[in-house]
């Protein structure tokens, strides 16, 4: 129930900071010029906020139930915590150290990663064999991508275009093209505007034909821009 600091050579600093029970996930970042660490304590259902300038626990936040993965946005304003037993993701605002949002996802979310551009949050859902894509700031599910059996860990590429998901029970890694879910929203809005214009200014028959064409184009756009699995790397044993 402690965390240990390492120096730049990899040796343990003779200092242990007591946090909650069974700490499993950890993320660090400088918040308002203060170096901090957020620790998910799966046994005590909370997150410890550690001030590394003073080496003390600054706050303890309840996030029930069984927190596991922790990820921070690039601007250090938010921390996302997966709760494996309550099928949700908690959003912590670092400026106030308060839990501001709860996002429902599938059962047993474990791994979590924020894209480096700060746009999306990727969550590995162990029991459902899915990866959830959340939109930072919207606090809602943007897409659900089927991956392999038992997805556990997730990491995003530096250019924010792909996510790699480790599938524990399948001994594989799914490579997910994140696309751009926001493009889909923009296309839907434009589609509705076009339909309104057509109905106002053309005959019923011409409007119907134009709508059919637009629906086909919209379907192509959604298929192209929605997150989807690009590749599966198999035969990898010992995955977390």
């Amino acid at each position: 129930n402690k965390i240990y600091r390492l120096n730049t050579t990899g040796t343990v600093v003779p200092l242990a900071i007591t946090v909650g029970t069974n700490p499993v996930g950890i993320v660090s970042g400088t918040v308002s010029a203060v170096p901090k660490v957020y620790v998910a304590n799966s046994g005590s259902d909370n997150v410890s906020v550690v001030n590394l300038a003073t080496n003390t626990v600054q706050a303890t936040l309840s996030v029930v139930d069984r927190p596991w993965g922790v990820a921070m946005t690039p601007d250090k304003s938010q921390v996302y915590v997966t709760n494996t037993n309550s099928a949700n993701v908690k959003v912590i605002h670092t400026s106030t150290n308060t839990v501001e949002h709860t996002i429902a996802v599938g059962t047993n979310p474990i791994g979590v990663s924020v894209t480096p551009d700060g746009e999306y949050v990727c969550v590995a859902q162990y029991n459902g064999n899915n990866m959830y894509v959340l939109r930072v700031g919207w606090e809602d599910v943007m897409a659900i991508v089927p991956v392999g059996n038992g997805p556990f860990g997730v990491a995003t590429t530096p250019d924010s275009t792909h996510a790699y998901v480790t599938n524990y029970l399948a001994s594989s890694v799914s490579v997910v093209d994140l696309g751009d879910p926001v493009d889909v929203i923009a296309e839907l809005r434009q589609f509705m505007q076009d339909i309104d214009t057509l109905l106002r200014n053309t005959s019923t028959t011409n409007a119907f034909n134009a709508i059919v064409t637009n629906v086909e184009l919209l379907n192509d756009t959604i298929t192209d821009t929605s997150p989807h699995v690009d590749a599966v790397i198999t035969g990898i044993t010992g995955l977390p």
Side-chain angles (χ1 to χ4, degrees):
N1 304 328
K2 300 178 185 293
I3 61 171
Y4 292 85
R5 296 187 65 172
L6 303 178
N7 62 25
T8 54
T9 62
T11 57
V12 178
V13 176
L15 172 69
I17 303 170
T18 301
V19 289
T21 306
N22 295 338
V24 290
I26 187 169
V27 69
S28 64
T30 300
V31 180
S32 300
V34 178
K36 294 184 180 181
V37 167
Y38 289 75
V39 183
N41 305 304
S42 64
S44 51
D45 293 334
N46 53 34
V47 170
S48 298
V49 183
V50 179
N51 184 328
L52 292 180
T54 59
N55 294 317
T56 58
V57 175
Q58 185 179 52
T60 301
L61 313 177
S62 176
V63 291
V64 179
D65 182 11
R66 201 179 176 215
W68 197 276
V70 192
M72 182 181 285
T73 55
D75 65 0
K76 318 304 180 188
S77 65
Q78 293 174 302
V79 169
Y80 288 78
V81 184
T82 59
N83 290 297
T84 59
N85 284 359
S86 54
N88 62 40
V89 175
K90 299 288 187 179
V91 185
I92 297 171
H93 281 211
T94 58
S95 60
T96 57
N97 281 334
T98 55
V99 178
E100 297 289 344
H101 303 284
T102 300
I103 306 170
V105 293
T107 56
N108 291 114
I110 297 183
V112 59
S113 178
V114 180
T115 55
D117 62 5
E119 293 291 324
Y120 306 119
V121 180
C122 300
V123 179
Q125 183 209 357
Y126 185 80
N127 274 5
N129 301 331
N130 293 312
M131 188 194 80
Y132 279 70
V133 181
L134 316 178
R135 171 73 168 172
V136 173
W138 291 19
E139 318 309 354
D140 200 2
V141 176
M142 298 296 298
I144 303 174
V145 183
V147 288
N149 192 11
F152 196 98
V154 59
T156 51
T157 55
D159 62 2
S160 301
T161 61
H162 290 79
Y164 285 73
V165 183
T166 59
N167 304 306
Y168 174 70
L169 298 179
S171 297
S172 67
V173 174
S174 296
V175 183
V176 180
D177 184 337
L178 294 176
D180 192 350
V182 178
D183 280 354
V184 177
I185 301 300
E187 290 291 336
L188 286 171
R189 288 173 178 163
Q190 185 61 52
F191 173 74
M192 295 306 296
Q193 292 174 1
D194 291 344
I195 295 304
D196 180 69
T197 301
L198 286 167
L199 292 176
R200 291 174 183 272
N201 300 301
T202 63
S203 68
T204 302
T205 301
N206 290 338
F208 177 78
N209 292 334
I211 289 171
V212 171
T213 300
N214 282 357
V215 168
E216 292 173 348
L217 292 173
L218 179 63
N219 182 66
D220 291 340
T221 298
I222 292 174
T223 301
D224 291 341
T225 61
S226 295
H228 58 276
V229 174
D230 254 356
V232 179
I233 306 169
T234 59
I236 305 176
T237 58
L239 290 172

